[in-house]
Amino acid sequence: MSPVRVTFVRTVDRLRFQFSTAFATGVFLAVSAVLFAFGLERAEGGRLTLPAIWAAAVSPVLPALAAFLAMDVWSDERQTGRIDMLLTAAVRERDYVLGKFLGSWALLMGAVALFLVTSLVLLWRLAPAALANATLGDFVSAALILALQGALWCAVSVAASAAFFHAAAAAVASIMVTVVLPRGLWAAMTAWSDVGRTAFGEMPLDAHAVDFASGLVSSGVLVSYLVLTAAFLFLSGKAVACYRMVGRGARSLRASTAFVAFLTVVFVAMAMLLAFRLDVKLDMPMAGSSTAFSPRTRNVLAEVGGDLGVTCFMRRSDPRFRPTGRFLRQLTQEAASTGASRVSVRFVDPLWDLGMAERLVRRGVEEGSLVFERGRRLAVLSLRDGCSERACASTIRRLMTPPTRRNVYWTTGHGESSFDVYGAFGMSDIARNLAQEGYRNKPIDLSADKPVPADCALVVVSGARHDFSRAELGRLEAYLHSGGRLLVLLSVPLEGLSSVLASWGVRLGDAPRKAGKTLTGTDVVVSDFAEHEISAPLKGDRIVLENPLSFSPSAAAESGAGADRITFTPVASSGGVALAAAAERGAGAGSDLAVRPTRIVAVGDASFAMNGPLAARANANRDFFLNCIAFLSGTDASGSSGTGEGVLTSKMDRVARRRHLLWSAAIVPSAAALLLVMLAMVRRRRS
Amino acid sequence: MFEIRNIAFSYGRSQVLRDVSFMVSPGEAVSVVGANGAGKTTLLRILATLAVPDSGTVMSDGQDALARPLRYRRQIGYMPERIALYDDMTVKEFLVYRALLKGEPAKRVRRRTSEAAEICRVTDCLRTPIRRLSAGIVKRVALADALLLRPRVLLLDDFLAGLDSGMRTIAGEILSSAAAFSSVIVTGHEVADFARWTTRILVLKDGVISAEVDTAGHDATVLCERVGAALEGGGR
């Protein structure tokens, strides 16, 4: 048996049956659980993955547990005098150090594994929806970064224990090095260094945990942790060896040890510089991770073909800051992988970077925005609804293409929901998205004796409650016959409008009696999407329609031939009933005959894209609406910011959250600590 | 042959050992006596590689022991003045742990621990937790630890201190048993006991071996008087 193994077994055995270990493990589980519960609540509806939230909850607590576990591995030996006994055995100091380090690290990882198991079991029992997109394999990279961080913190704690006579002093020193020093340096840097503040989004230690757990693995970070761990273990060995260096005769040994320690610091600095210089970033595919960008975004980034500057203008205390920072790191990596563009990111905090903030404000940029710059052009993306991949891609495309704006005309005068109403029943939210995509929203009154303007990209009828007059229908028909595009959102059947739709292949039906899954009894969860430009990107997502009407193909559908042929596609269905349909006349023939095909999309719910339903972000309603617009206007902007796979939905209400917190932060830690205490007592009684 | 040549040691400006030289043959037990602060413990710590001498050499079988400390440590057994064992272990667990740590193959560990326990007469308390043992037994367990791998050199610091007369007799018998396979160097103040159990008594005074008394064929009382005189300032 090697001395390392003997020391490892002894260290584990000693720590495992200590009452203090039971207490520390209980506190660790409780604090991590509180952070995890609040992290879960904050991340609800966001793009942060479950492993990332879990790792972010454990990571800050690890240094304290490591300090507690390893604080007396050496100081106790020194205080009692047992170190004499150890150092006169024919064992190298480094073997002792390695054994003690591995012992404390194994227990640390045991506590982390215990927390993982309890977290997953509790979520499985109390919030199974949160686990819908996560597999145990997704937690591998989270466990990897926590293992790396845990190893470093244990190495630091072992070194502190070797250097200090008292365990408490060793623990304090360890906490100073692992928590106070890095976070203090970070705070100082954000306070005084403009370069540092704008270069880093968040505290690197936290960012490492979140990035690795999301599958964004960096070789530079990995090597740095390993090098630092090895260096601290090496210095621990030297600190133990110093115990022998008493007397005047050891002066030269002390000097050479100090020189070796200095060389170690230099080596570590050089190794880390080299590691970050040659940094290789891997994007590990993970279920539920948003690291995989859509083909559209990748195309947009490939088309940039040069430098793209992104400024995140936001306070660091803003809850959107961390996910935005992480998204921008992914974007930078994705751009680098395309090889065609280089994205440089800087962070401007209006509280700290007053000069830069003032310049941005003068350019009309409001706080909580992303500013994309390419050459002398600038495009601003407001992050009121968070940072979505789709919006960023659209903004970058807008930056690259000449400023041609397409007009979306919203009909008025029939009780429609207006795009400039900000209440729950208004559509200001989706209208803002359209503006971000490059559209200009305009009202149109068809009752006025004027045709639909020539600059109209499409007409939107958003929830008309009164029917259109014959004249209005005539103008609408004329517009459609000239290759017009129409989006109809209907909650009540209107005879006139129905007849227009029927003449273009779409027959409006009643609300279906049985229409599949429902959340509240009146709504319908739609997850059956056709292979259509609108719905194909939404596969795996779901949209929620409130008491929807149904559609079926009318006699006009599939009746014509050539350019007059109308195709009907049930884009979104539930229980075999089409709840949204698309009709197109002249598809495929248009390019030869220079005829613009007419397109109509009808959705059997007028409220699904209103501000209220859109606020419940756990659905793909927004993407569905924007895809409809993209199809109708003939742009390639279809996509999905994802809900089913990317967005975290735990579906926990307030009571469920309280129950989760009670179990995870109180009952389970107490039970675990009690169990460990009982094991220790049984062991003591036996011996 | 274990040979100490011209060992000098100082803590800062205070010189503790000036020129210590002596030899110990295999199977010989040598005791080092001296007043408090004479440097007995320091000398043993140097021999146990826990301190670095200013000058001098320690030769074990013709090889410089301090130049190759790892190999040298395989040959020594050391019992410090201040004994601290692992309270949470039983005697057997402790001895097994120490034997494994010292590199003894697992299959020989049981034999080694049994032998050491037998020599040190702790067989009865192998399953007893160390925290429940008396100070005398703890000392014997520590001695069993030092004897585990039958070291060539056995270094016992203040071995008989704090033991009653019965326990000292037992300890002396253990010491003479150990001397059968080791060169033993023991420090302390118990001259009468050393006269019975060791072959030579070295008097450490003013940083040098000021007197060397052969115990063979002498009465303990006479030896005590001679050692006392040497400690007071007399010669050899």
Side-chain angles (χ1 to χ4, degrees):
Chain A
M1 232 178 179
S2 71
V4 176
R5 194 171 155 194
V6 176
T7 312
F8 165 75
V9 171
R10 168 64 193 150
T11 307
V12 170
D13 207 38
R14 190 178 70 85
L15 288 174
R16 198 173 44 162
F17 295 113
Q18 274 184 349
F19 291 139
S20 56
T21 304
F23 169 74
T25 307
V27 172
F28 164 76
L29 291 177
V31 176
S32 300
V34 170
L35 293 177
F36 182 51
F38 283 111
L40 210 57
E41 191 174 352
R42 272 203 305 272
E44 185 74 32
R47 307 281 298 171
L48 221 52
T49 61
L50 191 66
I53 300 163
W54 182 79
V58 178
S59 175
V61 199
L62 270 188
L65 184 62
F68 202 87
L69 288 176
M71 67 181 176
D72 62 351
V73 289
W74 277 115
S75 53
D76 191 39
E77 309 280 21
R78 289 181 63 177
Q79 219 170 11
T80 54
R82 286 195 293 256
I83 194 166
D84 287 354
M85 208 169 62
L86 292 176
L87 294 185
T88 48
V91 179
R92 289 187 174 88
E93 289 88 0
R94 64 167 185 239
D95 290 346
Y96 283 127
V97 166
L98 200 56
K100 285 173 182 288
F101 158 75
L102 288 174
S104 48
W105 184 55
L107 278 173
L108 186 82
M109 293 318 292
V112 171
L114 183 64
F115 181 60
L116 175 62
V117 171
T118 54
S119 302
L120 291 180
V121 169
L122 284 174
L123 282 179
W124 172 61
R125 296 292 300 164
L126 301 172
L131 293 172
N133 292 323
T135 63
L136 207 57
D138 295 344
F139 286 87
V140 170
S141 54
L144 172 69
I145 186 64
L146 292 178
L148 285 172
Q149 288 190 339
L152 177 55
W153 306 147
C154 277
V156 172
S157 302
V158 168
S161 183
F164 287 89
F165 192 72
H166 293 287
V172 170
S174 174
I175 294 283
M176 291 293 282
V177 174
T178 57
V179 179
V180 179
L181 184 69
R183 290 184 190 270
L185 278 175
W186 169 250
M189 195 184 76
T190 48
W192 292 308
S193 165
D194 293 343
V195 178
R197 187 168 52 244
T198 51
F200 294 97
E202 60 182 311
M203 167 71 192
L205 291 175
D206 299 337
H208 296 161
V210 173
D211 284 357
F212 267 63
S214 312
L216 204 65
V217 176
S218 154
S219 68
V221 172
L222 206 125
V223 171
S224 298
Y225 276 108
L226 291 175
V227 166
L228 280 169
T229 304
F232 273 104
L233 290 178
F234 179 73
L235 292 175
S236 304
K238 290 292 165 198
V240 173
C242 280
Y243 183 77
R244 300 179 197 277
M245 296 176 197
V246 285
R248 207 162 58 190
R251 273 189 303 195
S252 59
L253 279 174
R254 285 195 291 268
S256 67
T257 304
F259 183 64
V260 166
F262 170 72
L263 285 182
T264 307
V265 173
V266 173
F267 168 76
V268 166
M270 288 174 67
M272 284 176 66
L273 276 174
L274 200 66
F276 280 108
R277 183 86 181 161
L278 306 173
D279 191 18
V280 177
K281 287 197 165 91
L282 300 171
D283 195 351
M284 289 159 60
M286 292 172 68
S289 169
S290 58
T291 54
F293 281 95
S294 69
R296 180 187 174 229
T297 308
R298 283 200 288 272
N299 289 339
V300 167
L301 286 171
E303 285 168 18
V304 170
D307 288 350
L308 177 72
V310 186
T311 303
C312 178
F313 184 35
M314 192 185 288
R315 293 177 198 207
R316 281 167 197 277
S317 56
D318 194 309
R320 295 167 301 179
F321 187 81
R322 178 181 274 200
T324 305
R326 182 176 157 271
F327 173 80
L328 291 176
R329 287 198 294 278
Q330 289 171 8
L331 193 75
T332 309
Q333 187 179 332
E334 189 64 43
S337 72
T338 62
S341 59
R342 199 174 70 84
V343 175
S344 57
V345 179
R346 63 176 188 158
F347 297 89
V348 175
D349 186 332
L351 287 182
W352 291 98
D353 308 292
L354 297 178
M356 279 187 274
E358 189 186 358
R359 278 196 291 278
L360 286 170
V361 170
R362 274 188 195 161
R363 295 171 84 175
V365 180
E366 62 182 33
E367 190 184 325
S369 304
L370 285 182
V371 184
F372 294 82
E373 287 172 277
R374 184 166 177 263
R376 295 177 63 185
R377 294 193 64 189
L378 173 144
V380 181
L381 172 65
S382 172
L383 299 176
R384 283 192 201 111
D385 303 315
C387 183
S388 79
E389 176 200 334
R390 174 186 201 129
C392 283
S394 297
T395 312
I396 297 170
R397 168 147 287 177
R398 205 166 71 229
L399 193 67
M400 293 187 302
T401 50
T404 53
R405 299 195 44 111
R406 293 179 293 273
N407 295 324
V408 176
Y409 283 93
W410 299 68
T411 59
T412 57
H414 313 92
E416 292 97 333
S417 306
S418 177
F419 65 86
D420 53 7
V421 171
Y422 291 85
F425 298 103
M427 298 191 79
S428 60
D429 201 353
I430 203 76
R432 192 173 59 246
N433 287 141
L434 289 179
Q436 285 171 353
E437 300 260 340
Y439 298 95
R440 184 181 289 125
N441 296 292
K442 289 184 172 180
I444 182 170
D445 183 4
L446 290 172
S447 64
D449 193 15
K450 279 191 287 188
V452 175
D455 63 356
C456 174
L458 71 142
V459 172
V460 178
V461 180
S462 59
R465 285 194 288 268
H466 316 297
D467 211 345
F468 286 56
S469 67
R470 189 180 292 271
E472 287 172 323
L473 292 172
R475 287 182 196 109
L476 208 53
E477 281 274 16
Y479 168 66
L480 290 173
H481 275 290
S482 63
R485 309 288 168 91
L486 177 65
L487 173 62
V488 181
L489 315 179
L490 276 181
S491 284
V492 286
L494 301 172
E495 197 179 328
L497 208 53
S498 299
S499 65
V500 171
L501 289 176
S503 66
W504 288 94
V506 180
R507 192 169 68 82
L508 184 66
D510 294 331
R513 285 181 190 170
K514 186 186 168 192
K517 285 188 287 184
T518 177
L519 294 174
T520 60
T522 57
D523 61 14
V524 178
V525 179
V526 182
S527 54
D528 184 6
F529 296 110
E531 283 296 333
H532 189 270
E533 198 178 322
I534 295 172
S535 48
L538 300 173
K539 288 273 170 95
D541 289 345
R542 59 179 178 274
I543 60 173
V544 181
L545 303 178
E546 183 69 26
N547 207 8
L549 301 174
S550 63
F551 298 98
S552 57
S554 71
E558 316 290 340
S559 60
D564 290 331
R565 183 178 173 80
I566 296 173
T567 54
F568 173 90
T569 311
V571 288
S573 311
S574 182
V577 179
L579 303 177
E584 189 172 12
R585 191 187 71 171
S591 55
D592 296 338
L593 302 173
V595 173
R596 190 178 186 231
T598 300
R599 289 176 175 174
I600 294 176
V601 175
V603 183
D605 175 23
S607 66
F608 85 101
M610 286 180 182
N611 296 341
L614 286 185
R617 297 172 63 193
N619 58 54
N621 289 11
R622 186 188 303 273
D623 290 316
F624 183 68
F625 185 93
L626 293 174
N627 285 1
C628 291
I629 297 287
F631 167 69
L632 291 170
S633 66
T635 62
D636 68 340
S638 290
S640 166
S641 53
T643 53
E645 296 217 343
V647 174
L648 186 82
T649 48
S650 67
K651 288 186 185 169
M652 279 199 284
D653 56 15
R654 188 181 284 269
V655 177
R657 282 191 197 288
R658 279 186 188 165
R659 196 182 303 152
H660 177 250
L661 194 62
L662 177 73
W663 273 94
S664 63
I667 297 173
V668 170
S670 307
L674 203 65
L675 188 71
L676 289 171
V677 166
M678 282 169 66
L679 283 173
M681 286 175 73
V682 168
R683 153 90 179 192
R684 283 180 186 215
R685 193 163 289 177
R686 271 191 194 163
S687 59
Chain B
M1 181 70 75
F2 189 64
E3 192 177 353
I4 293 133
R5 288 185 200 154
N6 312 112
I7 289 287
F9 183 87
S10 45
Y11 289 108
R13 290 182 181 174
S14 158
Q15 188 149 33
V16 181
L17 302 174
R18 282 192 293 164
D19 183 11
V20 176
S21 301
F22 62 91
M23 286 195 295
V24 187
S25 306
E28 192 184 11
V30 172
S31 54
V32 179
V33 296
N36 287 333
K40 302 185 294 293
T41 297
T42 303
L43 176 64
L44 250 64
R45 287 183 74 81
I46 290 170
L47 299 184
T49 68
L50 291 173
V52 182
D54 299 352
S55 61
T57 54
V58 177
M59 306 294 285
S60 178
D61 292 338
Q63 288 192 331
D64 189 348
L66 300 181
R68 288 174 170 270
L70 210 62
R71 184 180 287 182
Y72 168 64
R73 276 183 225 134
R74 284 200 192 99
Q75 302 175 3
I76 63 169
Y78 173 65
M79 198 189 89
E81 180 184 16
R82 183 179 159 209
I83 294 167
L85 309 180
Y86 294 102
D87 285 351
D88 58 322
M89 285 177 156
T90 62
V91 173
K92 188 179 179 182
E93 283 170 349
F94 173 71
L95 292 177
V96 168
Y97 162 66
R98 291 290 293 165
L100 288 171
L101 195 63
K102 289 175 180 180
E104 192 66 2
K107 60 185 176 187
R108 286 217 300 259
V109 164
R110 183 185 281 187
R111 204 179 75 205
R112 291 290 198 195
T113 51
S114 302
E115 279 175 8
E118 217 163 285
I119 292 170
C120 298
R121 302 178 194 183
V122 290
T123 317
D124 295 343
C125 52
L126 278 175
R127 293 183 185 281
T128 312
I130 288 170
R131 64 173 180 276
R132 291 189 194 155
L133 297 176
S134 67
I137 307 285
V138 165
K139 212 154 211 178
R140 273 151 55 185
V141 173
L143 182 60
D145 166 42
L147 285 171
L148 261 175
L149 304 192
R150 288 181 170 253
R152 287 189 197 172
V153 182
L154 190 59
L155 307 168
L156 309 174
D157 192 7
D158 223 356
F159 177 51
L160 300 176
L163 301 180
D164 60 27
S165 60
M167 202 63 102
R168 273 200 292 213
T169 307
I170 294 170
E173 285 169 9
I174 295 168
L175 200 148
S176 56
S177 308
F181 51 81
S182 297
S183 305
V184 181
I185 301 172
V186 57
T187 64
H189 302 277
E190 299 79 5
V191 180
D193 292 299
F194 290 149
R196 281 177 69 192
W197 305 113
T198 63
T199 50
R200 272 184 297 154
I201 298 175
L202 308 177
V203 179
L204 186 62
K205 192 181 177 201
D206 299 329
V208 294
I209 300 294
S210 62
E212 188 175 328
V213 181
D214 208 336
T215 58
H218 289 94
D219 181 61
T221 320
V222 176
L223 278 173
C224 286
E225 282 174 6
R226 285 180 63 183
V227 171
L231 285 170
E232 288 296 320
R236 286 169 185 250

